[in-house]
Amino acid sequence: MKYSFRTVELALLLLPLATGCAIPSADIIPRYGQLDIDGHFGVTEDPGPIPVTDLGEAGFGDDDGYFGARADFDFGSPILTISGQQSTHKGRGTIDVDLDASDGMIAAGSTVDTDMDFGLYQMAVTFDLIPTDVVDAGLGLGVTLVNVDATLMDVSTLESVEVDEFLPIPVLVARVGVDLGDFEAVGLASGFDLSTNGDSVSNFDLDLLARYRLFGGDDRLAGSLGIGYRFTKLGIDYDDDGDRIDVDIRLNGPYLAFVFSL
C-alpha cells in the first residue's frame, strides 16, 4: 500500500523527544489473552465494488491465545506507552464470492485453508489535561504499527490469495485513569483515518485495564494483578499491482495481566 509517510516519520522523531530527561516511574505489564475475529476480505482485478467474503466463514478462526506486553513510563506529564502483541488465526472454511488468486481464481463455494498472523505494536505519548490524585485524563499522539500476513488457499486447486502488509499509522490518543488506592483502572483509546490517492487505511484501538495491588508501595516496587479487554479495528482498501484489495478486520477479547511497578 502506498501513501505518504512524512507524518509517521515526524511522529516517530517527536515521540521520544517529548518525554524529556526526567527519570520516570514504570509499569511493566506482561499479559495473556484471546481474541475473537470478525470482518471481511476481498480481492479483484475488475472495476466496480469489490466482492468480499466473511472472515469467519472463510475459516479465519479465533486465536488459541496470545502473549503480549505493555510498558507505561510516567514522567509526570507526559506518559509514554509502548505495547506489542501478535496473534495467529487459521482454519478451514468456505468463501461465498469469487476471489482473484495468484494464477487464476478461487470460485465462490470453494473450500479453503486460511492462516493469518496479526501483529499490533504501538507507541504513544499523552499529556495530562486533568491531573488529580483520583482521576487522570490526557490527550496525545502516537504511531500504531500493524502487520497482516494472511494466506487463503483453495484445497482443491491450490490457488492462493496472499496479503502481506506492514502499515505504520499515525494516531490520536486519549487516556483516562482512575486511582482508588489499591485499585486502579486505565483506558487507552487511539485511532485515525487516512485516505490518499484512492487508497485508504483506518484504525481504532481500545485497551482497558483494571488492576488490584497485591503487594508493595503506592507507586514503585509493587505488584498488581489485572484483567483487561482489547478491541482493535483495521480497515484497508488499496490497489496492489493491479489487484484491488478490501480488508476489514475486527479483533476483540479479554486478557489477564500482571503489573510490575518500578
Side-chain angles (χ1 to χ4, degrees):
M1 180 179 182
K2 304 176 179 64
Y3 59 88
S4 173
F5 291 98
R6 291 182 179 177
T7 304
V8 178
E9 293 170 349
L10 181 61
L12 287 170
L13 289 172
L14 292 179
L15 286 178
L17 296 176
T19 60
C21 299
I23 299 176
S25 61
D27 288 336
I28 309 301
I29 313 171
R31 53 192 180 186
Y32 175 82
Q34 187 170 13
L35 292 170
D36 297 333
I37 188 170
D38 191 15
H40 66 247
F41 171 85
V43 56
T44 185
E45 296 178 350
D46 300 328
I50 301 175
V52 294
T53 190
D54 182 85
L55 292 180
E57 294 294 329
F60 289 99
D62 302 336
D63 77 297
D64 294 327
Y66 72 91
F67 288 96
R70 171 174 145 183
D72 293 342
F73 300 95
D74 190 344
F75 294 82
S77 182
I79 296 175
L80 170 66
T81 297
I82 301 173
S83 66
Q85 66 186 51
Q86 180 169 308
S87 56
T88 299
H89 309 265
K90 59 184 178 180
R92 174 169 290 188
T94 303
I95 62 171
D96 50 15
V97 297
D98 294 336
L99 297 178
D100 287 326
S102 55
D103 297 317
M105 177 176 290
I106 303 178
S110 298
T111 299
V112 293
D113 284 335
T114 54
D115 191 352
M116 177 176 69
D117 291 327
F118 187 91
L120 182 65
Y121 313 93
Q122 187 178 73
M123 180 168 62
V125 171
T126 55
F127 297 86
D128 288 341
L129 296 178
I130 308 175
T132 70
D133 292 337
V134 177
V135 177
D136 184 13
L139 295 175
L141 297 172
V143 176
T144 295
L145 305 176
V146 178
N147 182 214
V148 180
D149 185 359
T151 301
L152 186 153
M153 184 178 69
D154 189 326
V155 299
S156 298
T157 66
L158 302 185
E159 294 281 1
S160 64
V161 176
E162 297 182 3
V163 174
D164 188 1
E165 293 292 339
F166 186 79
L167 305 174
I169 307 171
V171 291
L172 302 176
V173 185
R175 172 192 292 271
V176 177
V178 177
D179 187 346
L180 300 176
D182 289 339
F183 175 81
E184 293 183 49
V186 61
L188 191 67
S190 63
F192 202 69
D193 192 316
L194 181 66
S195 180
T196 179
N197 298 326
D199 296 337
S200 66
V201 57
S202 62
N203 173 250
F204 176 76
D205 183 73
L206 177 65
D207 189 352
L208 304 175
L209 173 64
R211 70 193 204 191
Y212 183 80
R213 185 165 60 246
L214 301 177
F215 60 85
D218 290 342
D219 297 316
R220 300 184 185 232
L221 301 179
S224 304
L225 184 64
I227 184 170
Y229 173 81
R230 193 82 182 263
F231 172 84
T232 298
K233 184 180 186 302
L234 171 70
I236 51 178
D237 187 343
Y238 66 103
D239 190 299
D240 184 12
D241 295 329
D243 289 331
R244 299 171 55 241
I245 298 174
D246 180 0
V247 177
D248 181 87
I249 300 173
R250 297 182 294 277
L251 299 169
N252 70 93
Y255 63 83
L256 295 174
F258 195 86
V259 184
F260 299 93
S261 298
L262 306 174

